Amino acid sequence: MKRLACLTAASALLASGSLHASESSASPDLDEARAIVKQFATQLQGELATAIKEGGPVKAIGVCKERAPAIASELGASRGWEVKRTSLKVRNTELNAPDGWERRVLNDFAQRQAAGAEVQTLVQSAVVETNGVKRFRFMQAIPTGEVCLACHGTAIAPEITAALDEQYPDDQARGFSLGEIRGAFSLSKPL
Ligand code: HEC
């Protein structure tokens, strides 16, 4: 109840459609979500780069597998957020598959990119009610960068392909090109 003001602000933002990633907002929830995403992205990319440098991409698969969910819950849990990554084409089908709302937002991001929007600017927030529980939800698109192509691109090295085949038999997250939307950070918090 105490979050009614934020909720109203979030709804207003939702009504106004898309938001530019660098705009500040009147909603503390939205600001917090953005701050968590920034930290998550920075920490994960840092650990990924170090792992690739030290052990090569096959070893770095472990960082994405173990560290991504660990960092997500470390950053979210203490502040009451659920933090994950998702995509229309997931590698980890058990952990990262999108729910209905996430799928709609991801499709909307794809349309907005096709219409000329920069991937970095694609964010969406909403108050979503599921089984009578209202949650503030936030998503931010993740672009495919150069470093990502080793494991998500169109020409993945045979040893990486073999390791991925073994660990992710249902992998759909290959064949991406530079600049394409790889997926999104997805955060939610009960109101
Ligand atoms: C060393 C290989 C490797 C590299 C490099 C890599 N990834 Fe991944 N990525 C993975 C693995 C493995 C998973 C599955 C993680 C899991 O089990 O949760 C994954 C999962 C993801 C997911 C979650 C959705 C899904 O498909 O399950 C996203 C989003 C993602 N990666 C984005 C990126 C981006 C963006 C980059 C570049 C900055 C990147 N990855 C670089 C291996 C990699």
Side-chain angles (χ1 to χ4, degrees):
M1 278 300 147
K2 67 184 186 324
R3 296 201 171 266
L4 206 59
C6 314
L7 199 149
T8 313
S11 308
L13 287 166
L14 175 67
S16 74
S18 61
L19 289 160
H20 193 282
S22 62
E23 275 170 22
S24 68
S25 71
S27 158
D29 282 339
L30 190 55
D31 291 341
E32 197 178 22
R34 287 180 166 178
I36 292 173
V37 164
K38 206 169 170 187
Q39 245 179 302
F40 189 9
T42 308
Q43 201 172 333
L44 187 58
Q45 282 182 27
E47 290 196 23
L48 186 64
T50 308
I52 291 175
K53 208 166 140 196
E54 287 174 356
V58 173
K59 259 195 135 176
I61 289 174
V63 170
C64 300
K65 190 173 190 173
E66 313 296 338
R67 291 298 296 149
I71 298 168
S73 57
E74 278 160 26
L75 287 176
S78 61
R79 300 186 246 190
W81 289 87
E82 208 176 274
V83 179
K84 65 179 267 208
R85 294 183 306 164
T86 188
S87 175
L88 290 172
K89 293 193 219 160
V90 287
R91 172 151 292 162
N92 186 331
T93 44
E94 272 171 41
L95 199 64
N96 303 332
D99 65 17
W101 185 76
E102 288 168 330
R103 186 173 290 281
R104 278 196 297 281
V105 174
L106 286 163
N107 279 319
D108 179 55
F109 284 172
Q111 279 179 13
R112 281 154 65 185
Q113 188 194 23
E118 295 277 339
V119 178
Q120 284 84 352
T121 66
L122 296 173
V123 294
Q124 184 66 274
S125 61
V127 175
V128 180
E129 188 170 334
T130 316
N131 302 327
V133 181
K134 278 191 175 134
R135 296 182 77 89
F136 179 80
R137 303 193 65 168
F138 174 81
M139 283 176 74
Q140 181 170 324
I142 307 172
T144 306
E146 190 76 47
V147 67
C148 321
L149 298 176
C151 301
H152 295 294
T154 48
I156 302 176
E159 66 273 22
I160 301 173
T161 302
L164 291 173
D165 284 347
E166 193 192 325
Q167 296 181 51
Y168 300 96
D170 301 322
D171 187 14
Q172 301 157 5
R174 303 182 201 183
F176 286 87
S177 5
L178 195 63
E180 216 181 317
I181 299 173
R182 173 57 267 271
F185 295 105
S186 179
L187 281 67
S188 82
K189 187 183 190 176
L191 287 170

